[in-house]
Amino acid sequence: MQKQVIQFLKDNRERHLEELQDFLKIPSISSLSEHKEDTLRGAQWVEQELHNIGFQEAKIMETDGHPVVYGEYIADGNAPTVLVYGHYDVQPVDPVHLWDSEPFEPTIRDEKIYARGATDDKGQVFMHLKVMEAVINQDDTPPVNFKVLIEGEEEIGSPNLPKFADEHANQLNADLVIVSDSALVEKGKPTITYGLRGLAGIQIDVEGANSDLHSGEYGGGVVNPIHALVKIVDSFRDDNNFIQVEDFYRDIPELSQDERDALARVSVNEDQLKDDLGVPALDGEAGYSYVERTSVRPTLEVNGIYGGFQGEGIKTVLPNQATAKITCRLVPDQDPEHIVQQLTKHVHSKAPVGVNVSVTPFDKGKPYVTPFDHPVIQKAAQAYETVYQNDTAYVRGGGSIPIVAELDRILNVPVVLMGFGLPDENLHAPNEHFHLENFDQGMETLVHYMYLLGEQ
């Protein structure tokens, strides 16, 4: 039956790509209030698609923010039930001038589809929808039951989904959760992400005088908020890139040698990576490899910093305010609430006199890790290897999907992270794209996985 389902996908490929482009045209940017209606349109598109596929139930469900889309297709009460999680919201597109094509006018070039959301996460959500469509269309007795939970706030930290999942835990009940919102470690290399970093974010605002000041009249006599902010930001790390926030590393257990050995088997060509990124050197926490730094170690990064005159030329002023946006990627067993508290305490301890400093917390999400020898994860590896004809790499992801740890807590079932993107697909950046090779092979992999699960 798998061959018949896969042939259906091949026969309908052109239609699928046209439908994916319709989905990608929707500017469902959850973080920008001016796109609130567009974000709702993203939810409506998913809801309608579930109806088109033939789901018995498909509906938009309200949260305290952007809505979620829930659907289910129950063919056999004795078969395993799979809950597919994903998100229809996308990141902002700035800076627009760096895009080679319009971010919401999808373009296919060199067997890649370019658009915001192509790989994160509309393209990968769409793959699941088409696989479910193919199975339902071609198999009178599908191997598994399907449930879907597609949210509209993942890109802003899923602030309302934990509450929704708690309140609808019975409805969401399943035997496992599948998430495709990650990447292969390299082209052609099956990759199962068995852990994700958490997230803690803050904004630092530094205010000086009640207006911008003439630098000739006041320079040297009044604290410059930008100088004050730079001092605060510079205090976060030492010369070895160890984070200097008190108790930042307190709750992190040592990596086992087995895990370090497994991570060491993940191949990264650092010279090629430097060339691809256009940087003269890689850097990070002393004593750890590049793979470890970007997956199993916590980070503290400045995501944005601004203040003062931004136009062409020079304007001789002391700005009255400056701002920095900071996020930390967290690892087990760091607690986002504790980290935000410690960040806030650190900022105030380093604030120079002569300015007012405030800290505002933002995105928070707990880290997640699961045993990679679980049977449903091993079946996922088997499905990957059937299609890609290569051994599976087991990695911890450097990014964050905040709801994953919550779904693990609420539903108490394994969460399988099967991504099909690639690290260089510019997610969150201009010219985001998705390789159509993985679009095709990824759907075949998911078909095999569904039928392997049905054997349980």
Side-chain angles (χ1 to χ4, degrees):
M1 184 54 70
Q2 291 99 310
K3 290 182 179 179
Q4 189 173 325
V5 173
I6 290 169
Q7 190 60 49
F8 178 89
L9 292 170
K10 292 178 178 179
D11 292 343
N12 287 276
R13 185 177 191 266
E14 292 307 310
R15 172 175 67 85
H16 292 167
L17 288 176
E18 290 176 3
E19 293 172 354
L20 174 57
Q21 290 179 73
D22 289 339
F23 192 20
L24 292 170
K25 287 178 182 178
I26 302 171
S28 47
I29 304 172
S30 55
S31 63
L32 300 179
S33 58
E34 60 263 35
H35 286 283
K36 181 177 181 180
E37 291 303 315
D38 294 319
T39 306
L40 176 59
R41 284 174 53 214
Q44 291 168 337
W45 191 95
V46 175
E47 179 193 32
Q48 185 59 52
E49 183 65 19
L50 292 174
H51 284 300
N52 295 343
I53 289 170
F55 266 50
Q56 298 143 340
E57 183 178 2
K59 58 186 176 182
I60 291 175
M61 302 180 71
E62 297 301 321
T63 72
D64 291 336
H66 298 300
V68 303
V69 185
Y70 173 79
E72 63 179 50
Y73 182 89
I74 308 298
D76 180 357
N78 294 317
T81 297
V82 171
L83 173 65
V84 175
Y85 163 83
H87 62 96
Y88 62 83
D89 65 319
V90 300
Q91 282 277 322
V93 297
D94 307 273
V96 178
H97 69 277
L98 294 181
W99 286 78
D100 295 331
S101 54
E102 292 296 319
F104 293 110
E105 290 297 329
T107 304
I108 295 177
R109 304 191 299 271
D110 302 322
E111 280 301 289
K112 306 168 191 172
I113 186 165
Y114 287 80
R116 174 57 87 228
T119 189
D120 181 24
D121 180 39
K122 287 181 176 178
Q124 300 198 59
V125 164
F126 183 84
M127 290 165 58
H128 280 277
L129 296 176
K130 294 298 103 177
V131 166
M132 291 185 284
E133 176 188 64
V135 170
I136 292 169
N137 183 283
Q138 295 295 302
D139 195 339
D140 292 334
T141 56
V144 297
N145 301 309
F146 297 115
K147 293 183 178 182
V148 299
L149 176 67
I150 312 299
E151 70 156 318
E153 295 186 319
E154 193 276 343
E155 298 292 5
I156 56 173
S158 304
N160 295 296
L161 197 56
K163 176 184 175 184
F164 176 90
D166 266 321
E167 293 174 348
H168 297 86
N170 289 337
Q171 189 174 22
L172 299 175
N173 184 46
D175 294 289
L176 72 156
V177 180
I178 302 178
V179 181
S180 295
D181 193 14
S182 54
L184 310 178
V185 292
E186 60 185 30
K187 182 178 179 181
K189 182 67 172 176
T191 305
I192 290 179
T193 304
Y194 68 93
L196 291 167
R197 292 195 285 194
L199 187 66
I202 63 169
Q203 178 172 307
I204 306 168
D205 291 295
V206 180
E207 294 188 357
N210 54 17
S211 68
D212 288 356
L213 301 175
H214 190 286
S215 66
E217 293 185 21
Y218 297 98
V222 176
V223 177
N224 184 322
I226 294 179
H227 293 178
L229 180 61
V230 168
K231 287 182 179 180
I232 294 170
V233 170
D234 188 53
S235 73
F236 281 126
R237 301 190 199 185
D238 67 12
D239 291 341
N240 289 313
N241 289 309
F242 292 119
I243 295 165
Q244 298 298 290
V245 176
E246 184 180 1
D247 287 339
F248 188 82
Y249 297 101
R250 185 190 68 185
D251 298 321
I252 303 173
E254 286 292 323
L255 282 178
S256 69
Q257 191 57 50
D258 286 346
E259 190 163 15
R260 292 197 80 165
D261 290 344
L263 293 169
R265 289 193 290 272
V266 178
S267 174
V268 174
N269 185 328
E270 294 192 7
D271 289 332
Q272 183 63 51
L273 180 60
K274 287 187 290 186
D275 289 343
D276 291 344
L277 298 178
V279 297
L282 302 176
D283 193 25
E285 187 179 2
Y288 294 90
S289 69
Y290 175 82
V291 171
E292 289 171 337
R293 291 169 182 167
T294 56
S295 61
V296 298
R297 295 299 294 166
T299 67
L300 186 154
E301 299 290 349
V302 180
N303 307 122
I305 187 166
Y306 50 92
F309 180 64
Q310 304 290 315
E312 185 178 356
I314 293 176
K315 184 179 181 183
T316 54
V317 297
L318 300 182
N320 74 318
Q321 58 183 12
T323 297
K325 296 178 184 291
I326 309 288
T327 54
C328 298
R329 298 290 180 170
L330 310 179
V331 299
D333 294 311
Q334 289 178 299
D335 175 53
E337 296 289 348
H338 171 72
I339 295 300
V340 167
Q341 290 172 6
Q342 295 307 107
L343 290 171
T344 302
K345 179 181 175 181
H346 180 90
V347 168
H348 287 302
S349 73
K350 300 297 181 181
V353 296
V355 291
N356 295 309
V357 177
S358 62
V359 176
T360 304
F362 278 101
D363 299 355
K364 285 180 241 173
K366 292 183 179 180
Y368 169 78
V369 68
T370 192
F372 54 75
D373 58 356
H374 193 286
V376 297
I377 289 181
Q378 291 304 306
K379 284 183 180 291
Q382 184 180 343
Y384 266 126
E385 292 167 7
T386 298
V387 176
Y388 283 85
Q389 294 295 296
N390 201 349
D391 291 339
T392 299
Y394 298 91
V395 301
R396 285 209 218 169
S400 305
I401 309 175
I403 192 59
V404 167
E406 294 298 321
L407 290 176
D408 174 58
R409 174 185 65 82
I410 296 165
L411 301 180
N412 194 29
V413 297
V415 181
V416 183
L417 297 155
M418 299 180 70
F420 299 98
L422 286 174
D424 62 354
E425 289 181 332
N426 289 20
L427 67 165
H428 294 201
N431 297 315
E432 180 181 348
H433 58 279
F434 188 31
H435 286 69
L436 295 183
E437 177 183 16
N438 287 325
F439 176 77
D440 296 326
Q441 291 186 304
M443 286 195 288
E444 288 190 32
T445 299
L446 292 172
V447 170
H448 285 290
Y449 189 38
M450 298 306 165
Y451 282 91
L452 286 169
L453 290 172
E455 293 174 0
Q456 292 191 169

